[in-house]
Amino acid sequence: MKRTLLVFSALTAFAAPAIAPAVAQAQQAEARQDRGDRRTEARTQRREQRGEDRQQPRTERPQPPQDRGGGRQDRREDRQDRREDRRDDRQDRRDDRRDDRQDRRPETRQDRREDRREDRQDRRQDRRDDRRDDRQDRREDRREWRGDRRDDRADRRQDRREDRFENRRDRRDYREFRRGWNRDNWRRDWNRRHRSDWWRDHRSFRGYSGVRIGFYFAPGYGYYSVPRQYWNQRWSEGQYLPSIFWRYQLNDYRTYGLGFPPPGTRWVYVDNHIYLIDEYDGYIIEVVYDFWRW
C-alpha cells in the first residue's frame, strides 16, 4: 500500500508541471470565448436599438423665435454704444496724457537748464582751481630747477678747479718724464744697436703674417679689428687717443729702452706706433712713430 502511494505521489510530481501549461491555455481560451460572447451580445443590442430608433417617428424641429430681428437690432445698438464708450475713454486718456506732458515739460526743461548751468559753473571753477594749482606747481618746479642748476654749476666749477689742479700736477710729472727721456736720443741709440728687421726674430711677433686690411697687429696680443674711421690715422701729443686702443698695453718697456711711465699713465700699441697716454682720459703725453718697420 505504501509503495502504491509513493508511486502515485511521484507520478503526480512529474505530471503536474507538464499539465500546468495546458491548463493555463485552456483557461485563456475560455476567457477569450467569454469576451467574444459578450461583444456579440453588445453588438446585437446596439443593432436592435438602432432599429427601434428608426421605427419611431421623427420629431419636429424647434421653431426659431419670432423676435429674431429685434434681438439683432438690440445687439447692434449695444455694440455701437460700447464702441462710442471706448472712443470716449480713449479720447479722455489722450487728453489726460497731453495735460500731464504739458505740466511736466516746462518744469523738466527748466530744471535741466538750471542743472546744466550749475554743472558748467562748477567745471569752470574746477578748471580755474586746477590752473592755479598747475601754475603754482610750475613756479615751484622752476625754483627748484634753478636751485639745482645753481648747485650743478657750483659743483662743476669745483670739479673744474680740482681737475685743473690735478692736471697741473700731472703736467709737472709729464715734464719731469720728458726731462729724463728724450725721443730723439732714444731713436738714435735704438737704431744704432738694432737693425731695421729686429722684430722678425722677436717672440712677440710670432703670430704676425703680414699686413691685413681693417686689422692692426699688437705684439703679444695678435691681430685686432679697427673701425674704418681709424685706418692709417696718427695722433700727436696733446690729443686724446680713442678708448679702443687703451687695452693693448706695452708692459716690457725696459726691453725696448723706453722710460718708466709716470703713475697713472701707460704705454700702448697702435699699429706700429707706441703712445704714452693718461689712463683716465687717454691724453697723449709722448709718441714713438714707426717703432718697427715692415
Side-chain angles (χ1 to χ4, degrees):
M1 187 65 180
K2 293 179 179 179
R3 292 180 180 176
T4 305
L5 293 172
L6 292 172
V7 171
F8 181 76
S9 61
L11 292 174
T12 305
F14 284 107
I19 296 170
V23 174
Q25 291 179 358
Q27 292 177 356
Q28 292 177 359
E30 291 178 358
R32 291 174 183 173
Q33 186 66 28
D34 294 337
R35 286 197 296 274
D37 296 340
R38 287 197 294 273
R39 290 176 181 175
T40 303
E41 292 177 358
R43 290 175 183 175
T44 304
Q45 291 178 359
R46 285 198 295 274
R47 289 176 181 175
E48 292 177 354
Q49 187 66 27
R50 290 176 184 174
E52 292 177 357
D53 294 337
R54 290 176 181 176
Q55 291 177 0
Q56 290 179 0
R58 296 181 179 179
T59 59
E60 296 180 356
R61 295 180 181 178
Q63 297 294 332
Q66 296 296 329
D67 57 349
R68 187 171 182 180
R72 290 181 180 177
Q73 187 66 24
D74 296 337
R75 285 196 294 274
R76 289 176 183 176
E77 292 177 357
D78 294 336
R79 291 176 185 174
Q80 189 69 23
D81 295 338
R82 285 197 296 272
R83 288 176 183 175
E84 291 178 358
D85 295 337
R86 290 175 185 174
R87 291 175 184 175
D88 295 338
D89 294 337
R90 290 177 184 174
Q91 189 65 28
D92 295 338
R93 286 197 295 271
R94 289 175 184 175
D95 296 337
D96 294 337
R97 290 175 185 174
R98 290 176 183 175
D99 297 336
D100 294 337
R101 290 176 184 175
Q102 291 294 335
D103 297 336
R104 286 181 295 179
R105 278 179 183 178
E107 296 178 0
T108 305
R109 291 179 180 177
Q110 188 67 23
D111 295 339
R112 289 177 181 175
R113 290 176 182 176
E114 293 178 359
D115 294 338
R116 290 176 184 174
R117 290 175 184 175
E118 293 176 358
D119 294 339
R120 290 176 184 174
Q121 189 69 21
D122 295 338
R123 284 198 295 272
R124 290 176 183 175
Q125 188 66 28
D126 294 338
R127 290 176 184 174
R128 291 175 184 175
D129 297 339
D130 294 338
R131 290 175 183 174
R132 292 174 184 173
D133 296 338
D134 293 340
R135 291 175 183 174
Q136 188 67 23
D137 294 339
R138 284 198 293 271
R139 290 176 183 174
E140 294 177 357
D141 294 339
R142 290 176 183 174
R143 292 174 184 174
E144 293 177 358
W145 183 53
R146 290 175 182 175
D148 295 339
R149 283 196 299 178
R150 292 174 183 174
D151 297 338
D152 294 338
R153 289 175 183 174
D155 295 339
R156 284 197 294 270
R157 289 175 184 174
Q158 187 66 24
D159 294 339
R160 289 176 185 174
R161 291 174 183 174
E162 294 176 357
D163 293 339
R164 288 175 184 175
F165 179 75
E166 292 178 357
N167 291 334
R168 289 175 183 175
R169 186 176 58 187
D170 295 340
R171 298 295 183 272
R172 292 175 184 175
D173 297 337
Y174 302 158
R175 292 171 187 171
E176 294 177 359
F177 169 78
R178 288 195 181 93
R179 291 174 185 174
W181 186 84
N182 189 307
R183 182 183 3 174
D184 297 334
N185 294 336
W186 174 87
R187 174 68 66 183
R188 184 176 59 254
D189 296 339
W190 180 263
N191 292 338
R192 184 176 56 188
R193 289 180 298 175
H194 297 80
R195 299 179 302 176
S196 61
D197 59 347
W198 61 268
W199 54 272
R200 296 184 184 276
D201 298 331
H202 200 277
R203 64 178 182 274
S204 299
F205 291 85
R206 290 179 181 177
Y208 179 72
S209 60
V211 179
R212 296 183 182 179
I213 299 175
F215 291 88
Y216 284 169
F217 181 83
Y221 296 94
Y223 289 96
Y224 61 92
S225 178
V226 180
R228 184 181 294 273
Q229 64 267 24
Y230 300 139
W231 289 1
N232 300 324
Q233 185 174 355
R234 285 187 177 187
W235 291 269
S236 59
E237 297 177 13
Q239 295 181 345
Y240 292 88
L241 187 70
S243 59
I244 62 172
F245 302 109
W246 296 2
R247 69 185 69 178
Y248 305 105
Q249 184 176 358
L250 189 153
N251 297 320
D252 53 347
Y253 54 90
R254 294 179 181 176
T255 303
Y256 298 106
L258 300 173
F260 179 80
T265 63
R266 68 175 67 175
W267 292 98
V268 295
Y269 295 107
V270 181
D271 198 12
N272 60 340
H273 314 306
I274 296 177
Y275 295 85
L276 180 64
I277 64 171
D278 191 334
E279 293 181 347
Y280 178 74
D281 55 0
Y283 178 81
I284 299 174
I285 304 167
E286 189 62 45
V287 183
V288 177
Y289 296 109
D290 298 329
F291 185 67
W292 63 87
R293 298 179 182 177
W294 308 110

